[in-house]
Amino acid sequence: MPAITVDNLLALPLIPQPDPAVSRERPVRSVTTAPHGLEGEGFPVRRAFAGVDMSQLDPFVHLDQMGEVEYAPGEPKGTPWHPHRGFETVTYMIDGEMAHQDSNGGGGLITNGDTQWMTAGAGILHIETPPEHLVLSGGLFHGFQLWVNLPRDKKWSPPRYQDIRGREVGLLSSYDGGALVRVIAGELAGQAGPGSTYTPITLVHATISAGAELVLPWRPDFNALVYALGGTGSVGSGRQPLRAGQLAVYGPGDTLRVRADANQESRSPDLDVLVLGGLPIREPVAWGGPFVMNTKAEVLQAFQDFHAGRLGSVPAEHASS
Ligand code: MN
C-alpha cells in the first residue's frame, strides 16, 4: 500500500495517550463482513456498510472498497456517465490511478493517497475510469469511495469539486511510533485534514505496524467506524477480531482502540484501516440508486430531472465514449 509513507514516524506530531481518569473508551457494538459486489462496468468492490443499520452509519450512507485487484492488460474498468444528487462522494486511491470528469467542469487524475471530493448537491453527472495507459498495461487497483450525506438544507447546494493531493493530508504518529495516521478530512488531535465538508466529519487512513496499538481521541458527538482495508487485528478493549473487509461500529465514548496482530500475511504486512465518524444528521433517508434524498417523492423527482437532462449534460468531446 503506497499512499503516503514516512520514514521516521517519531518526527511527526504524536497523538497523546488518553488519560484513563477522564476519557471513556468506546465499546465495540458490532463487527460485520463486507460482501463482494461489482460496480460500474464490472470492477470488484466490497460493500463495507452492508447489513448495518443506517442510523449507526449516519452521516455516511455508503462505502465501497475498490479492489484490491490485480488487473491483466485490457481488464481495468470504470463507470459510465451517471448522475448523483443529495450527497458528496469521497474517492481515495491507494494503488493504481483513477480519472474523474464531471458535468460541472471538475475532474482530475488521482493516485497514491490522493483524494477527490465531489459535492453532487443539487445534481451532477460524472464518469470514473482508469487512464488509457493503465487499461493497456493492467496492474494493481485499490481505493475506496465513501458517500457522505447532506442535510435537507444542503442537498440543493451547487456542485463542487475538490482535488486533494496525498502530500496535503495531515500526518500524525501514535505516541510510540507504531502507527501512521493520515488525516484526510476534519480534525484529529489538533491536526486538520485538507478535505472540506458540509457535514462535519473526520476521515483518517491509518497504517498500524504488526503488534502495535492505536488509541485515538474521538469527538463524543461523532459516530465512530473502523473499516479494515488490509491485514488482521482487533478492536476495543475486548480485542474483538477484525480483518480486511470487516467493519467495526463503536458505541459512545471519546476514545477508540485498534490493534494490529503481531503476525500478518506477507502480502499485507501492516493493518490498514479507515477510521471515520461524523455528526449524525438525524433526518429521514430516502435512497434510490444514485440519489440520496429525504423522501421517496424527491428520489422520483431526481430520476425525472435526470431523464429530462436537468442534472447536467455530458461534455461534448466525451459524448461518444
Ligand atoms: Mn458515481
Side-chain angles (χ1 to χ4, degrees), residues 140-183:
L140 189 61
F141 278 75
H142 188 205
F144 68 83
Q145 186 173 92
L146 172 70
W147 292 12
V148 186
N149 203 1
L150 290 167
R152 182 180 281 114
D153 62 346
K154 299 278 170 44
K155 287 194 182 293
W156 302 94
S157 304
R160 181 173 73 168
Y161 184 84
Q162 297 172 70
D163 190 28
I164 299 167
R165 295 291 117 187
R167 62 180 178 275
E168 297 172 47
V169 303
L171 295 175
L172 292 162
S173 168
S174 58
Y175 73 93
D176 61 358
L180 172 63
V181 174
R182 307 167 189 83
V183 184

Side-chain angles (χ1 to χ4, degrees), residues 98-216:
M98 192 66 89
H100 170 110
Q101 195 190 359
D102 68 49
S103 55
N104 191 43
L109 191 67
I110 56 168
T111 183
N112 286 343
D114 298 337
T115 304
Q116 62 167 45
W117 205 291
M118 186 188 79
T119 306
I124 200 165
L125 305 182
H126 77 159
I127 184 170
E128 299 145 295
T129 53
E132 187 64 30
H133 73 94
L134 274 187
V135 176
L136 292 174
S137 68
L140 189 61
F141 278 75
H142 188 205
F144 68 83
Q145 186 173 92
L146 172 70
W147 292 12
V148 186
N149 203 1
L150 290 167
R152 182 180 281 114
D153 62 346
K154 299 278 170 44
K155 287 194 182 293
W156 302 94
S157 304
R160 181 173 73 168
Y161 184 84
Q162 297 172 70
D163 190 28
I164 299 167
R165 295 291 117 187
R167 62 180 178 275
E168 297 172 47
V169 303
L171 295 175
L172 292 162
S173 168
S174 58
Y175 73 93
D176 61 358
L180 172 63
V181 174
R182 307 167 189 83
V183 184
I184 301 167
E187 184 269 336
L188 182 78
Q191 184 75 48
S196 165
T197 73
Y198 283 106
T199 303
I201 69 165
T202 294
L203 175 61
V204 163
H205 171 202
T207 301
I208 308 170
S209 303
E213 185 175 68
L214 177 63
V215 180
L216 294 179

Side-chain angles (χ1 to χ4, degrees), residues 21-59:
V22 293
S23 66
R24 189 164 58 117
E25 183 169 339
R26 288 172 176 262
V28 175
R29 272 192 182 144
S30 63
V31 172
T32 47
T33 302
H36 291 275
L38 292 174
E39 188 56 62
E41 291 165 342
F43 62 86
V45 294
R46 298 190 76 152
R47 313 283 190 197
F49 289 169
V52 181
D53 190 90
M54 292 206 72
S55 66
Q56 311 267 303
L57 304 170
D58 188 9

